[in-house]
Amino acid sequence: EDRQRKKSMRKIEPYRIILKGSDWYVEGFCILREDFRYFKLSRISGLKITNKSFIPREIPESDPENGPIQEKIIKVKVSVDKSLKGEFSELYGEKCFLSETESKYIAEIPFAYNEYSYLLLMGFIDKCEILEPENIRNEFILRIEKAASLYKQK
């Protein structure tokens, strides 16, 4: 389904998955349009994987006006309450967990420098602590303090 909610069937040669904000896209060569396109994963239905192979094409540089920009993603180390194992496994995969104690996991998760990444972790605010890198931890603390100030009596 496209942006106008029109359904279409496409055959693509998939090349990479791209995160932009909170949305995931697959970048692939569209056989119908004979060009590289971005396909929003949440709009894909009826996916059929075939055994057909293809000769890889050169991927053109991303055009900021016409497609997602791959954001810089870093690794962030967090301390996570064990009650969040399911959510973190779903979001980041089982391999994100590095170690565990009786009540917590230490996990390493991908983090893009964007508002969505901060908002996502804010949802776990009382059960997840950013350990490193320090600049992300400090920014998170500032955001928590700013949010808390909204609730202090004047």
Side-chain angles (χ1 to χ4, degrees):
E1 181 174 285
D2 65 15
R3 290 180 206 158
Q4 288 79 38
R5 300 287 197 212
K6 293 180 184 174
K7 291 193 178 217
S8 65
M9 184 179 291
R10 304 288 184 95
K11 291 182 182 177
I12 68 166
E13 299 168 354
Y15 284 83
R16 59 185 170 187
I17 301 291
I18 296 172
L19 174 65
K20 181 178 182 195
S22 62
D23 300 311
W24 286 97
Y25 295 81
V26 62
E27 182 178 15
F29 186 82
C30 177
I31 304 302
L32 178 68
R33 302 283 187 235
E34 296 182 344
D35 197 8
F36 278 88
R37 295 281 199 264
Y38 297 100
F39 299 91
K40 192 172 183 177
L41 292 182
S42 63
R43 291 189 188 128
I44 296 174
S45 62
L47 179 68
K48 182 179 175 186
I49 299 172
T50 68
N51 290 327
K52 293 181 182 177
S53 60
F54 56 90
I55 298 170
R57 303 168 194 265
E58 183 146 347
I59 302 173
E61 290 293 318
S62 292
D63 178 357
E65 297 298 317
N66 296 319
I69 301 167
Q70 192 166 9
E71 302 187 45
K72 182 178 180 186
I73 296 176
I74 62 165
K75 294 287 187 180
V76 171
K77 192 177 280 187
V78 294
S79 173
V80 183
D81 188 90
K82 282 194 169 180
S83 67
L84 294 177
K85 183 175 185 180
E87 285 92 334
F88 269 67
S89 295
E90 188 73 24
L91 284 167
Y92 308 112
E94 288 285 331
K95 293 181 181 180
C96 77
F97 301 109
L98 304 176
S99 62
E100 68 179 288
T101 65
E102 190 174 311
S103 61
K104 297 189 180 295
Y105 291 104
I106 300 298
E108 193 172 70
I109 60 172
F111 185 93
Y113 285 103
N114 61 32
E115 193 64 23
Y116 175 74
S117 292
Y118 285 103
L119 290 173
L120 183 62
L121 287 180
M122 281 288 210
F124 305 117
I125 196 164
D126 62 332
K127 295 183 179 178
C128 176
E129 177 187 2
I130 297 172
L131 302 174
E132 55 186 59
E134 190 174 351
N135 65 317
I136 300 297
R137 179 182 169 86
N138 290 340
E139 174 64 23
F140 202 72
I141 290 168
L142 288 173
R143 289 168 182 248
I144 291 168
E145 290 170 348
K146 186 175 179 182
S149 72
L150 293 174
Y151 294 91
K152 289 183 180 176
Q153 290 187 346
K154 296 178 182 187

